[in-house]
Amino acid sequence: MSAINAVSDPFAIADQSSRIVLQNAHWATLVDARNASDTDNDHAFLRHFGVVDGSLPNLSATAKNLRELFSGERQSLSILHKITDGRSELWLQMNASSIRDLPGHVAIIHRNISDLRQAQCDISRLSSALLEVTDAERQRIARMIHDTTAQHLVASKLYLERALSDIVKSGNVSECGVKALEHLERSLREIRAFSYLLYPPDLGDAGLAKLVRSFLNGFVERTGIQVACDVAVGLPPMSPDAKQGVLLIVQEALTNVYRHSGSDAAVVTMKPDDDKLVLEIADYGRQCPAVSMKEKLSTRPGVGIGSMRARAVRYGGSLSIQCNKHGTILRAVFPAAGLTGAANTALP
């Protein structure tokens, strides 16, 4: 008896007539011992073994399967059910199986899987959130291409149609053909820039300074925006994941410079400050609109400024943006301790 009482979950043994012949102390907390077996009543029959029928998708089928276990038509059975104590609900999984060394007897145990169910629900919610973020990012890319490159291609088509018409009439290449070529060249530059900004090549596992400089070289080549890079010596050590996170903030910030600021130059600065890493990206373009910079900073992770803020918070850091008539400065500050360990996955 002491052996089954050592089992931390409700446990019992029933004979072929479905009568409980042995049970531990936990079984009594789950099952009312006064309930008698009633093989004719599905509700009472299941309750006798601690199965609450309110959470079952098919009461009759579950009762039938359990009876087959006692009649020897099956060797094992698993039933998922839920109980409520008035304050909370518990999910239990009843596992029942025939005892090989004790013919005609069935061992029954109820395991509390509430934490597992909660984890499954959390995973499901996170998966849904990830899909939403992915969809939002795809929409952002589609809008970006539609609002820029696609417009140039449409203009090129119209100019080329007019150019062909002019050639037919005069035999000379018209100004429309030249404009069409200009639009096509601009489209090609933008496609190269967007593809690099949205999915830069693997820059390997070098130091952060080298990673940033390598990325900036590709950015300047594709966009024509001149970027000065000032990386101080003595940057705090950081994990590969943290280096990638800082690099992605630089990437997103420069994407905004390319798409929105109209600036032809930018400056990227990284320096240690006591026990912190300070990252700044400055441009000299249009003043950012007065609208809700605070609101943008609180945007859910996945797009634009909200994405950069989420990456900063992931490593215990913070993000701020200052705008004036001279341009915009984005500043991210990371505590050194947050850059060396595993990332904090509990994003806001």
Side-chain angles (χ1 to χ4, degrees):
M1 188 67 183
S2 60
I4 67 169
N5 278 329
V7 178
S8 59
D9 297 302
F11 176 82
I13 295 177
D15 62 17
Q16 193 168 11
S17 64
S18 67
R19 181 173 61 93
I20 301 295
V21 296
L22 194 63
Q23 67 185 53
N24 66 0
H26 299 292
W27 183 268
T29 65
L30 176 68
V31 182
D32 188 347
R34 296 170 297 178
N35 289 340
S37 174
D38 185 347
T39 57
D40 296 324
N41 184 293
D42 291 341
H43 175 90
F45 180 66
L46 291 171
R47 286 260 175 175
H48 177 66
F49 297 102
V51 178
V52 180
D53 50 43
S55 59
L56 300 176
N58 191 322
L59 172 66
S60 299
T62 303
K64 177 177 179 294
N65 292 337
L66 187 56
R67 290 190 181 96
E68 289 175 352
L69 182 64
F70 283 99
S71 66
E73 297 177 61
R74 64 169 61 226
Q75 297 300 309
S76 62
L77 177 66
S78 181
I79 301 173
L80 183 66
H81 64 107
K82 180 177 65 176
I83 63 174
T84 305
D85 62 4
R87 293 170 297 176
S88 60
E89 62 181 30
L90 298 176
W91 281 94
L92 303 175
Q93 181 171 314
M94 187 194 88
N95 294 319
S97 59
S98 300
I99 303 176
R100 184 176 58 183
D101 297 329
L102 196 60
H105 288 71
V106 173
I108 305 168
I109 189 169
H110 291 265
R111 298 192 181 279
N112 185 344
I113 61 168
S114 300
D115 290 342
L116 176 60
R117 291 278 298 187
Q118 183 61 49
Q120 291 171 336
C121 291
D122 291 342
I123 291 173
S124 178
R125 282 194 294 269
L126 287 172
S127 298
S128 298
L130 178 60
L131 288 175
E132 291 177 6
V133 168
T134 301
D135 290 342
E137 191 70 5
R138 287 174 177 172
Q139 291 173 5
R140 184 173 79 95
I141 295 170
R143 285 196 304 269
M144 184 168 60
I145 294 175
H146 177 270
D147 294 343
T148 54
T149 307
Q151 298 302 318
H152 296 310
L153 292 175
V154 169
S156 298
K157 178 178 180 295
L158 294 175
Y159 280 127
L160 284 173
E161 288 175 348
R162 290 179 57 185
L164 290 174
S165 177
D166 291 343
I167 291 173
V168 171
K169 294 177 181 178
S170 65
N172 297 318
V173 177
S174 70
E175 182 182 353
C176 292
V178 176
K179 289 184 177 180
L181 182 60
E182 291 174 352
H183 280 283
L184 286 173
E185 289 176 344
R186 184 173 179 180
S187 297
L188 289 173
R189 286 199 306 269
E190 289 184 345
I191 289 174
R192 291 180 68 221
F194 288 156
S195 62
Y196 184 77
L197 289 169
L198 293 172
Y199 194 76
D202 182 10
L203 300 175
D205 50 357
L208 179 61
K210 185 175 181 180
L211 288 176
V212 170
R213 289 193 177 97
S214 297
F215 171 76
L216 295 182
N217 288 337
F219 176 82
V220 172
E221 177 186 349
R222 289 162 177 81
T223 66
I225 297 175
Q226 298 304 306
V227 182
C229 181
D230 182 9
V231 180
V233 297
L235 295 181
M238 59 189 72
S239 66
D241 187 60
K243 286 192 292 186
Q244 183 70 11
V246 174
L247 178 62
L248 288 172
I249 291 177
V250 174
Q251 173 191 337
E252 186 66 48
L254 289 176
T255 299
N256 288 341
V257 173
Y258 175 66
R259 292 190 59 216
H260 303 301
S261 76
S263 176
D264 57 4
V267 178
V268 175
T269 304
M270 287 190 296
K271 60 184 178 182
D273 183 7
D274 293 334
D275 58 347
K276 299 180 179 65
L277 168 67
V278 179
L279 166 68
E280 290 186 352
I281 298 99
D283 67 67
Y284 309 99
R286 291 184 292 269
Q287 183 178 355
C288 51
V291 287
S292 65
M293 192 53 62
K294 180 179 179 181
E295 178 181 325
K296 283 189 174 184
L297 284 173
S298 63
T299 304
R300 67 178 181 177
V303 289
I305 295 173
S307 175
M308 289 187 284
R309 176 184 175 273
R311 294 190 190 281
V313 172
R314 186 178 177 87
Y315 303 101
S318 61
L319 186 82
S320 62
I321 296 179
Q322 297 177 350
C323 301
N324 55 45
K325 63 181 180 180
H326 302 296
T328 302
I329 299 177
L330 180 144
R331 192 171 193 262
V333 180
F334 305 89
L339 296 170
T340 55
N344 173 21
T345 57
L347 298 178

